[in-house]
Amino acid sequence: MPRLVAVVMAAGQGTRMKSSTPKVLHDLCGWPLVRWPVEAALTAGADAVVVVGGPDRAVDGHLPDGVDVAVQEQARGTGDAVRSAASFIDADDTVVVLSGDVPLISSDAIRSLAYAHHKGDVPATMATMILDDPGSYGRVVRDEDDHVVKVVETKAPGDATPAELAIQEVNTGIYAFTGGPLVDALGQIRADNAQGEYYLPDVLPIMGKTRAHVVDDPTLTLGVNDRVHLAEVRALAQRRINAEHARNGVTIVHPDATAIDVTVTIGADAVIEPGCVLRGATSVGSGSTIGPSTTIVDSTVGDGCKVL
């Protein structure tokens, strides 16, 4: 396998969040949104992770050590965002492009996409999904040989025809590219669309044949555009966290009534009663019982304790 580089786009402000906090810095179970795909890429074995932020450097201080930051000087679309990270990309790299507002992507999904790209012998591989209601997702247009021809964006009226809007296969915004052809294509795309932006999918016709890699679990590619989406994603992330603790020997009596940050550690045979909230750098020892209806923040609970 060639070197794996993950580029995480995180420069947008997210105006639909109606917030002074940049969208990718909104909290999701103890981490900002942007940290979730970063951690997934690191766990997947990425040799380098580059986060593309805005000129305000808002993401600084919110990322793990060793993660690079590239600056997109102006909000000119996803193509321009990835182009801002070009100096971190070598010609032979496999470049996986992720979004900072798509937090539930898993390390397994990233590895699977990178491997499919490596085996596919094409310069570009796109992660897609099939949706009953495609909404505002970009539509995937295939040719008679089942290769991806292009992605039609639907952000503004006039970007897509009625026939294109009827397509149910959509672009997840997650890709794998070969580094050299990607950087070359990024220098050729144009902003001739209703939004006046450089769209990353526009590199596909330039690069040649593109394969689609269908993601079977659409929850992995859910994006956060507003606070309704954030609440939906939080419920899924919390379910994932609680399930992992349960697999490690923790009894969570009522998972849907228990909030545990991703940063919390809990020992085996601990019992978490309903209504508990465990936040921040909290550690609960083996055999301890917490709750019910107990909030613990940034605290250490030893082995065999009871906190009522």
Side-chain angles (χ1 to χ4, degrees):
M1 289 285 288
R3 195 173 78 117
L4 176 60
V5 177
V7 176
V8 182
M9 298 179 293
Q13 291 299 304
T15 56
R16 281 185 281 178
M17 298 293 285
K18 302 293 196 296
S19 175
S20 59
T21 300
K23 177 171 64 173
V24 297
L25 296 185
H26 277 258
D27 178 77
L28 177 62
C29 299
W31 281 341
L33 283 174
V34 65
R35 182 152 180 175
W36 285 78
V38 167
E39 293 284 353
L42 291 171
T43 303
D47 298 285
V49 177
V50 184
V51 174
V52 180
D56 57 359
R57 308 283 303 196
V59 298
D60 288 0
H62 296 277
L63 303 171
D65 292 340
V67 173
D68 294 305
V69 176
V71 176
Q72 184 182 20
E73 295 295 343
Q74 299 179 42
R76 298 190 299 176
T78 54
D80 184 66
V82 177
R83 187 161 52 192
S84 301
S87 62
F88 296 92
I89 298 171
D90 294 334
D92 295 330
D93 290 345
T94 291
V95 182
V96 173
V97 178
L98 307 169
S99 294
D101 59 359
V102 180
L104 298 183
I105 188 67
S106 67
S107 57
D108 286 344
I110 293 171
R111 277 192 294 263
S112 177
L113 174 62
Y115 184 73
H117 177 72
H118 176 63
K119 289 295 186 181
D121 195 29
V122 291
T125 304
M126 175 193 304
T128 67
M129 57 184 175
I130 309 298
L131 296 178
D132 293 334
D133 180 9
S136 61
Y137 283 97
R139 306 305 198 267
V140 176
V141 179
R142 294 181 182 241
D143 63 15
E144 61 276 7
D145 296 321
D146 226 22
H147 289 105
V148 177
V149 176
K150 62 179 179 178
V151 173
V152 180
E153 297 291 344
T154 60
K155 290 182 179 180
D159 278 353
T161 67
E164 290 167 339
L165 289 172
I167 296 172
Q168 291 181 297
E169 185 176 16
V170 301
N171 176 23
T172 64
I174 297 171
Y175 308 86
F177 298 103
T178 302
L182 170 63
V183 173
D184 289 344
L186 286 169
Q188 301 179 51
I189 57 175
R190 299 289 179 264
D192 52 355
N193 53 68
Q195 294 289 91
E197 294 185 352
Y198 295 90
Y199 291 145
L200 181 58
D202 287 348
V203 302
L204 301 179
I206 299 170
M207 296 179 73
K209 290 184 178 180
T210 300
R211 293 190 184 275
H213 177 73
V214 179
V215 177
D216 292 332
D217 182 359
T219 67
L220 298 180
T221 57
L222 288 175
V224 174
N225 291 316
D226 55 30
R227 294 180 195 250
V228 174
H229 294 152
L230 180 58
E232 293 169 350
V233 166
R234 180 178 287 113
L236 293 167
Q238 189 63 77
R239 202 167 300 152
R240 181 190 293 184
I241 293 167
N242 291 353
E244 184 65 20
H245 284 299
R247 293 188 188 98
N248 290 330
V250 177
T251 295
I252 302 176
V253 177
H254 192 343
D256 289 340
T258 304
I260 302 173
D261 276 354
V262 68
T263 51
V264 171
T265 61
I266 308 175
D269 290 324
V271 177
I272 312 299
E273 298 282 0
C276 289
V277 179
L278 308 182
R279 298 292 192 207
T282 290
S283 175
V284 176
S286 299
S288 291
T289 298
I290 309 298
S293 301
T294 298
T295 296
I296 302 178
V297 181
D298 294 333
S299 302
T300 299
V301 178
D303 296 339
C305 297
K306 292 186 178 180
V307 182
L308 305 177

Short mmCIF file of all heavy atoms in Angstrom, two decimals, residues 8-9 39 43 45 47 56-57 63 69 77 81 91 97 124-125 150 154 159 174 197 204 214 216 232 256 266 286:
data_model
loop_
_atom_site.label_atom_id
_atom_site.label_comp_id
_atom_site.label_asym_id
_atom_site.label_seq_id
_atom_site.Cartn_x
_atom_site.Cartn_y
_atom_site.Cartn_z
N VAL A 8 -8.88 16.54 5.68
CA VAL A 8 -10.18 16.79 6.31
C VAL A 8 -10.57 18.24 6.07
O VAL A 8 -9.90 19.17 6.55
CB VAL A 8 -10.14 16.49 7.82
CG1 VAL A 8 -11.52 16.71 8.44
CG2 VAL A 8 -9.65 15.07 8.08
N MET A 9 -11.63 18.45 5.30
CA MET A 9 -12.08 19.81 4.99
C MET A 9 -12.87 20.38 6.17
O MET A 9 -13.88 19.81 6.60
CB MET A 9 -12.94 19.80 3.73
CG MET A 9 -12.21 19.33 2.50
SD MET A 9 -13.26 19.30 1.01
CE MET A 9 -14.42 17.99 1.43
N GLU A 39 -9.67 11.52 14.17
CA GLU A 39 -9.34 10.34 14.98
C GLU A 39 -9.58 9.05 14.19
O GLU A 39 -8.82 8.09 14.30
CB GLU A 39 -10.16 10.34 16.27
CG GLU A 39 -9.81 11.45 17.25
CD GLU A 39 -8.51 11.21 18.00
OE1 GLU A 39 -7.93 10.12 17.86
OE2 GLU A 39 -8.08 12.13 18.73
N THR A 43 -6.75 6.27 13.44
CA THR A 43 -6.95 4.87 13.80
C THR A 43 -6.86 3.98 12.57
O THR A 43 -6.44 2.82 12.66
CB THR A 43 -8.32 4.69 14.48
OG1 THR A 43 -8.39 5.55 15.62
CG2 THR A 43 -8.55 3.26 14.93
N GLY A 45 -4.80 4.24 10.33
CA GLY A 45 -3.39 4.10 9.97
C GLY A 45 -2.86 5.14 9.02
O GLY A 45 -1.83 4.91 8.36
N ASP A 47 -0.79 7.89 7.40
CA ASP A 47 0.58 8.34 7.63
C ASP A 47 0.64 9.84 7.89
O ASP A 47 1.58 10.33 8.53
CB ASP A 47 1.45 7.99 6.42
CG ASP A 47 1.52 6.49 6.20
OD1 ASP A 47 2.24 5.81 6.96
OD2 ASP A 47 0.85 6.00 5.28
N ASP A 56 -8.94 32.22 9.98
CA ASP A 56 -9.02 32.55 11.40
C ASP A 56 -8.32 31.54 12.29
O ASP A 56 -8.20 31.75 13.50
CB ASP A 56 -10.49 32.66 11.83
CG ASP A 56 -11.30 31.38 11.55
OD1 ASP A 56 -10.72 30.41 11.01
OD2 ASP A 56 -12.50 31.37 11.87
N ARG A 57 -7.85 30.43 11.69
CA ARG A 57 -7.14 29.37 12.43
C ARG A 57 -7.96 28.86 13.61
O ARG A 57 -7.43 28.48 14.65
CB ARG A 57 -5.78 29.89 12.94
CG ARG A 57 -4.90 30.55 11.90
CD ARG A 57 -4.21 29.56 11.00
NE ARG A 57 -3.41 28.58 11.69
CZ ARG A 57 -2.49 27.82 11.08
NH1 ARG A 57 -2.28 27.97 9.77
NH2 ARG A 57 -1.80 26.93 11.75
N LEU A 63 -7.02 19.87 17.83
CA LEU A 63 -6.63 18.68 17.09
C LEU A 63 -5.53 17.92 17.84
O LEU A 63 -4.78 18.51 18.62
CB LEU A 63 -6.11 19.08 15.70
CG LEU A 63 -7.09 19.88 14.84
CD1 LEU A 63 -6.38 20.40 13.59
CD2 LEU A 63 -8.30 19.04 14.48
N VAL A 69 -2.17 21.50 9.66
CA VAL A 69 -3.26 22.40 9.30
C VAL A 69 -2.88 23.18 8.05
O VAL A 69 -1.80 23.78 7.99
CB VAL A 69 -3.60 23.38 10.44
CG1 VAL A 69 -4.68 24.37 10.00
CG2 VAL A 69 -4.06 22.63 11.69
N GLY A 77 -15.16 26.84 -2.03
CA GLY A 77 -15.61 25.51 -2.40
C GLY A 77 -14.66 24.40 -2.01
O GLY A 77 -13.51 24.62 -1.60
N ALA A 81 -10.59 23.94 -1.28
CA ALA A 81 -10.15 23.48 0.04
C ALA A 81 -9.07 22.42 -0.09
O ALA A 81 -8.01 22.49 0.57
CB ALA A 81 -11.34 22.94 0.82
N ALA A 91 3.12 12.52 -5.08
CA ALA A 91 2.53 11.99 -6.30
C ALA A 91 1.97 10.59 -6.13
O ALA A 91 0.93 10.25 -6.71
CB ALA A 91 3.56 12.01 -7.43
N VAL A 97 -10.14 11.97 1.13
CA VAL A 97 -10.69 13.28 1.46
C VAL A 97 -11.95 13.08 2.31
O VAL A 97 -12.89 12.39 1.90
CB VAL A 97 -11.03 14.08 0.19
CG1 VAL A 97 -11.66 15.42 0.55
CG2 VAL A 97 -9.77 14.31 -0.64
N ALA A 124 -9.20 7.77 -9.25
CA ALA A 124 -10.17 8.32 -8.30
C ALA A 124 -11.21 7.26 -7.92
O ALA A 124 -11.69 6.50 -8.77
CB ALA A 124 -10.85 9.54 -8.89
N THR A 125 -11.55 7.23 -6.65
CA THR A 125 -12.60 6.35 -6.15
C THR A 125 -13.50 7.17 -5.24
O THR A 125 -13.02 7.89 -4.36
CB THR A 125 -12.02 5.17 -5.35
OG1 THR A 125 -11.09 4.47 -6.17
CG2 THR A 125 -13.12 4.21 -4.90
N LYS A 150 -19.56 11.94 -13.55
CA LYS A 150 -19.50 13.23 -12.86
C LYS A 150 -20.46 13.21 -11.68
O LYS A 150 -21.27 12.29 -11.50
CB LYS A 150 -19.89 14.38 -13.81
CG LYS A 150 -21.31 14.28 -14.34
CD LYS A 150 -21.64 15.47 -15.25
CE LYS A 150 -23.07 15.35 -15.80
NZ LYS A 150 -23.43 16.52 -16.65
N THR A 154 -26.31 20.20 -6.26
CA THR A 154 -27.71 20.65 -6.21
C THR A 154 -27.88 21.77 -5.19
O THR A 154 -28.97 21.96 -4.63
CB THR A 154 -28.64 19.48 -5.84
OG1 THR A 154 -28.27 18.96 -4.56
CG2 THR A 154 -28.55 18.37 -6.87
N ASP A 159 -28.23 24.21 -11.03
CA ASP A 159 -27.05 23.35 -11.03
C ASP A 159 -27.35 21.98 -11.62
O ASP A 159 -26.48 21.35 -12.21
CB ASP A 159 -26.50 23.17 -9.61
CG ASP A 159 -25.62 24.34 -9.18
OD1 ASP A 159 -25.34 25.20 -10.02
OD2 ASP A 159 -25.23 24.38 -8.00
N ILE A 174 -16.84 11.89 0.29
CA ILE A 174 -15.66 11.16 0.74
C ILE A 174 -15.04 10.47 -0.47
O ILE A 174 -15.74 9.79 -1.22
CB ILE A 174 -16.03 10.13 1.83
CG1 ILE A 174 -16.59 10.88 3.05
CG2 ILE A 174 -14.85 9.27 2.21
CD1 ILE A 174 -17.19 9.96 4.09
N GLU A 197 -18.16 28.52 -7.18
CA GLU A 197 -17.21 27.80 -6.33
C GLU A 197 -16.48 26.73 -7.14
O GLU A 197 -16.93 26.30 -8.20
CB GLU A 197 -17.94 27.12 -5.16
CG GLU A 197 -18.54 28.09 -4.17
CD GLU A 197 -19.14 27.38 -2.96
OE1 GLU A 197 -19.21 26.13 -2.98
OE2 GLU A 197 -19.53 28.06 -2.00
N LEU A 204 -13.17 14.84 -11.40
CA LEU A 204 -13.38 13.47 -11.87
C LEU A 204 -13.32 13.35 -13.39
O LEU A 204 -12.63 12.47 -13.91
CB LEU A 204 -14.71 12.93 -11.33
CG LEU A 204 -14.83 12.91 -9.80
CD1 LEU A 204 -16.19 12.37 -9.38
CD2 LEU A 204 -13.71 12.09 -9.17
N VAL A 214 -19.63 1.84 -2.82
CA VAL A 214 -20.89 2.08 -2.12
C VAL A 214 -20.74 1.76 -0.63
O VAL A 214 -20.26 0.69 -0.25
CB VAL A 214 -22.03 1.24 -2.73
CG1 VAL A 214 -23.33 1.48 -1.98
CG2 VAL A 214 -22.20 1.59 -4.21
N ASP A 216 -22.48 0.78 2.67
CA ASP A 216 -23.75 0.13 3.01
C ASP A 216 -24.47 0.78 4.19
O ASP A 216 -25.69 0.73 4.28
CB ASP A 216 -23.51 -1.35 3.34
CG ASP A 216 -23.06 -2.15 2.12
OD1 ASP A 216 -23.45 -1.75 1.00
OD2 ASP A 216 -22.34 -3.15 2.28
N GLU A 232 -29.33 14.51 15.74
CA GLU A 232 -29.47 13.17 15.18
C GLU A 232 -28.14 12.42 15.21
O GLU A 232 -28.08 11.23 15.57
CB GLU A 232 -29.99 13.27 13.74
CG GLU A 232 -31.42 13.81 13.65
CD GLU A 232 -31.82 14.16 12.23
OE1 GLU A 232 -30.94 14.16 11.33
OE2 GLU A 232 -33.01 14.44 12.00
N ASP A 256 -30.20 4.63 26.51
CA ASP A 256 -30.80 5.81 25.90
C ASP A 256 -31.01 6.94 26.89
O ASP A 256 -31.37 8.05 26.49
CB ASP A 256 -32.13 5.43 25.25
CG ASP A 256 -31.94 4.58 24.01
OD1 ASP A 256 -30.83 4.60 23.45
OD2 ASP A 256 -32.90 3.88 23.61
N ILE A 266 -14.07 3.82 31.66
CA ILE A 266 -14.84 3.09 32.67
C ILE A 266 -14.29 1.67 32.76
O ILE A 266 -14.13 0.99 31.74
CB ILE A 266 -16.35 3.05 32.32
CG1 ILE A 266 -16.87 4.45 32.04
CG2 ILE A 266 -17.14 2.40 33.45
CD1 ILE A 266 -18.33 4.48 31.57
N SER A 286 -13.01 0.01 38.14
CA SER A 286 -13.70 -1.28 38.01
C SER A 286 -14.62 -1.51 39.21
O SER A 286 -14.28 -1.18 40.35
CB SER A 286 -12.67 -2.40 37.94
OG SER A 286 -11.83 -2.24 36.82
#
